[in-house]
Amino acid sequence: MASPPTETEKKLDILHNDPSRDPENADDAASLSIGKGDILSQEHLDPVLNAKMHLINDAIDEIGFTTYQWKLFVLNGFGYAVDSLILLIQSIIAGQAALEFHPGWGNGLTVAAYVGMLAGASFWGISADIIGRKFAFNVSLMICSIFAIVAGSSPNWIVLGLFVCLSSFGGGGNLVLDTAVFLEYLPSRKQWMLTLMACWWGVGQLIAGFFAWAFIPNFSCEDPSVNPDAEPCTYANNKGWRYVWFASGALVFIMSILRITVMRLRETPKFLIGEGRDAEAVETLLFIANKYNRPCSLTLDKMTACGETTLRKGSKWGAGEIGIHLKGLFSTRRIGTSTSLIWLSWILIGLAYPLYNVFLPQYLNSRGAQFGQKSAYITWRNYTLVNFSGIWGPVLAGWMCSRPWLGRKYTMVVGALVTCVFFFAYTQVRSETQNTAFTCVVNFCLNIYYGTLYAYTPEVLPSAHRGTGNGLAVSGNRVMGILSAVIATYADTGTAVPIYICAALYVVMAGIAVLFPFEPYGRRSS
């Protein structure tokens, strides 16, 4: 049996149904909480928090899209780029590093990277809901850069794996914050840009390809299994993979410095109101409005008129804080269903994506040998072309998800099914040109789905629990990445078998997308 309405809920209901109410009047400000434009407004959540969230959304829409959001688009996009950069670089350099260190398990670096990303996504995601977005946003990328640079100096395989893990801890955690921070400053009409921002994922892949193309063919020892007369691989004649790490780490370090010096991020208003810090939330939005000469009618009186939120009753450092955020992700049946389906989607693509993309260098090498292509230069040139094509999938997805006849859900459906078709077609490749062309098309199509899922996840999560929900979703993805490394150890990734597995998984993901209970198109994130 449903509990009786509280006094606050009665007040909000009266204000909503009173046609004489004046939204400009501070006493009537709480009435805005019932607006149908907010994704979660019809769910039975904290009515006071809903009211304040609606006022914040109104203020962000009133201010509109400014240079502040453009800076966020670029600087938050760095997080996407870094995540894919670190993940792919460990895959790229693993072969050459193994020739020097002779490890017992060749896929150890992949496991190290995914373990770091798993820990990072969980830790920084939950922390973002407790200590705020700002600190985690700035610190995590700096951690990533430092250990990426140090990884290039690794004396053995185990130490290299440790530094890859620590670098991934920062990079994987930062990715969770990028979408949340950008979304919480976006006007509702521009929320499709959250999908577009995934194009930076392809930029990171492209950078990884360029670094590999520049350093691996020119500064690496030969593989004795290919050339029996090759000299033993040592530190002196096998520095290419180290240069890749040095260059990547330096680039990430520059990105992290730019975040601090150019952006000077303020804590997001939606996090602040969840903490009961209404005055700071109002001050932040007024600061942006004044800086860019935009209107903003939000006042502290309007926020105060809504009442006090009941989200947190004790200290945020208490043992039950994580439980509060976990329960918040299942606070209603629809929100719980949405959370469960999102996490399942992340788990499935966490298996499908690595099987195809993380082990793509191995697959390209095997296909290159089959087509008579043995040039390392051509191999890495093709790899760069493939990564370049991945940039444009999210660009198309950004346009698609802003169409009313598609929205976010059916953009994912189309992206997943088209990817599936090209996966099956890829098994019929019979020439080097076809191999490169189909690989580019597949990478383009799968990023339509992946980029949209990255954006959809924070859009439909409650703001107060967004970091936790997003972090655990990505964590599930990383767990499957670890599993994919185990699968690759005992299965031949140079055959077409992973292609069939990936194709089947994308069909399942398309079906799940249809079942998502929320469609963010035309709605505002809560």
Side-chain angles (χ1 to χ4, degrees):
M1 180 179 296
S3 59
T6 64
E7 289 301 317
T8 301
E9 290 173 320
K10 291 178 181 178
K11 177 182 177 182
L12 294 175
D13 187 59
I14 292 172
L15 288 170
H16 173 58
N17 292 290
D18 180 6
S20 66
R21 72 189 190 282
D22 179 10
E24 296 300 319
N25 188 313
D27 293 334
D28 295 341
S31 64
L32 295 173
S33 68
I34 314 297
K36 295 182 179 180
D38 294 347
I39 295 175
L40 303 182
S41 63
Q42 302 303 309
E43 301 300 308
H44 298 291
L45 303 174
D46 183 341
V48 173
L49 185 61
N50 277 354
K52 293 182 178 182
M53 194 67 65
H54 194 87
L55 289 174
I56 292 294
N57 278 334
D58 285 344
I60 293 175
D61 282 347
E62 186 179 12
I63 295 171
F65 196 83
T66 69
T67 304
Y68 190 83
Q69 281 86 358
W70 274 120
K71 290 180 180 179
L72 283 175
F73 178 79
V74 175
L75 298 178
N76 289 38
F78 288 169
Y80 271 93
V82 169
D83 182 81
S84 60
L85 179 71
I86 297 299
L87 185 59
L88 289 182
I89 280 180
Q90 65 79 22
S91 175
I92 288 170
I93 64 92
Q96 285 302 133
L99 292 177
E100 182 178 338
F101 295 139
H102 308 289
W105 188 26
N107 288 327
L109 291 189
T110 299
V111 173
Y114 273 104
V115 168
M117 289 183 172
L118 167 61
S122 302
F123 177 81
W124 293 111
I126 296 173
S127 296
D129 285 338
I130 299 176
I131 63 177
R133 280 54 160 149
K134 180 180 178 180
F135 178 81
F137 181 78
N138 289 328
V139 173
S140 56
L141 198 63
M142 183 67 72
I143 292 174
C144 177
S145 67
I146 293 172
F147 287 107
I149 294 174
V150 176
S153 302
S154 301
N156 57 59
W157 186 258
I158 295 177
V159 173
L160 175 59
L162 173 62
F163 289 143
V164 168
C165 181
L166 292 172
S167 180
S168 300
F169 174 78
N174 187 263
L175 184 68
V176 176
L177 276 300
D178 295 319
T179 51
V181 170
F182 190 48
L183 174 64
E184 293 184 3
Y185 276 110
L186 270 181
S188 58
R189 292 187 177 182
K190 295 290 186 178
Q191 281 183 198
W192 59 270
M193 290 188 68
L194 197 63
T195 300
L196 176 64
M197 194 170 70
C199 70
W200 286 93
W201 177 273
V203 172
Q205 293 175 321
L206 181 63
I207 293 172
F210 275 134
F211 284 157
W213 192 6
F215 296 119
I216 298 295
N218 300 316
F219 302 97
S220 299
C221 60
E222 292 186 80
D223 187 345
S225 64
V226 176
N227 181 9
D229 298 326
E231 298 180 0
C233 288
T234 64
Y235 176 87
N237 66 1
N238 193 35
K239 293 184 178 179
W241 69 268
R242 297 180 185 272
Y243 293 155
V244 171
W245 273 119
F246 291 147
S248 301
L251 179 62
V252 177
F253 182 76
I254 293 172
M255 290 178 177
S256 62
I257 294 298
L258 289 176
R259 279 190 167 188
I260 299 173
T261 58
V262 175
M263 188 69 251
R264 301 194 180 191
L265 178 72
R266 286 170 166 255
E267 191 56 80
T268 66
K270 292 185 178 181
F271 171 79
L272 291 172
I273 62 172
E275 294 289 297
R277 296 154 62 182
D278 296 353
E280 294 178 57
V282 173
E283 192 276 332
T284 295
L285 291 173
L286 290 177
F287 170 82
I288 296 174
N290 292 332
K291 183 175 182 179
Y292 299 103
N293 195 28
R294 299 295 179 88
C296 182
S297 58
L298 181 65
T299 65
L300 183 57
D301 288 340
K302 291 182 179 180
M303 299 291 286
T304 304
C306 298
E308 295 185 7
T309 180
T310 58
L311 178 63
R312 178 176 290 109
K313 297 181 179 180
S315 170
K316 69 177 181 179
W317 303 110
E321 178 67 15
I322 296 178
I324 291 175
H325 293 298
L326 289 175
K327 291 178 181 178
L329 297 171
F330 298 89
S331 53
T332 70
R333 179 174 295 181
R334 291 184 74 205
I335 291 177
T337 300
S338 176
T339 300
S340 300
L341 292 177
I342 287 172
W343 286 357
L344 178 58
S345 297
W346 277 95
I347 287 172
L348 292 177
I349 199 168
L351 180 60
Y353 188 81
L355 280 178
Y356 175 75
N357 217 13
V358 172
F359 300 105
L360 184 58
Q362 300 173 30
Y363 191 80
L364 286 176
N365 280 329
S366 68
R367 302 295 279 189
Q370 179 178 329
F371 301 141
Q373 177 53 258
K374 297 182 180 181
S375 169
Y377 177 86
I378 298 298
T379 295
W380 294 115
R381 182 207 66 181
N382 292 347
Y383 191 51
T384 302
L385 291 174
V386 170
N387 294 329
F388 178 75
S389 67
I391 296 175
W392 308 104
V395 175
L396 176 59
W399 179 85
M400 292 172 64
C401 72
S402 64
R403 303 300 98 185
W405 37 275
L406 281 174
R408 275 59 156 175
K409 290 172 55 175
Y410 289 99
T411 295
M412 284 186 276
V413 172
V414 171
L417 293 181
V418 172
T419 301
C420 170
V421 170
F422 280 101
F423 268 137
F424 281 122
Y426 192 78
T427 60
Q428 302 305 310
V429 166
R430 294 295 181 269
S431 70
E432 172 64 21
T433 301
Q434 291 175 347
N435 178 47
T436 303
F438 269 83
T439 306
C440 289
V441 173
V442 168
N443 208 36
F444 172 87
C445 293
L446 69 83
N447 277 348
I448 293 176
Y449 175 86
Y450 214 166
T452 308
L453 180 64
Y454 260 109
Y456 178 88
T457 299
E459 276 192 290
V460 299
L461 292 172
S463 177
H465 318 295
R466 181 168 288 139
T468 301
N470 206 13
L472 292 179
V474 176
S475 296
N477 177 277
R478 305 316 188 191
V479 170
M480 299 308 292
I482 296 172
L483 180 60
S484 72
V486 176
I487 293 174
T489 302
Y490 300 102
D492 185 1
T493 54
T495 71
V497 174
I499 305 299
Y500 288 115
I501 295 175
C502 292
L505 289 174
Y506 273 93
V507 173
V508 176
M509 287 184 275
I512 293 174
V514 174
L515 300 176
F516 284 149
F518 298 114
E519 170 52 63
Y521 175 81
R523 314 288 294 279
R524 305 191 301 190
S525 67
S526 296

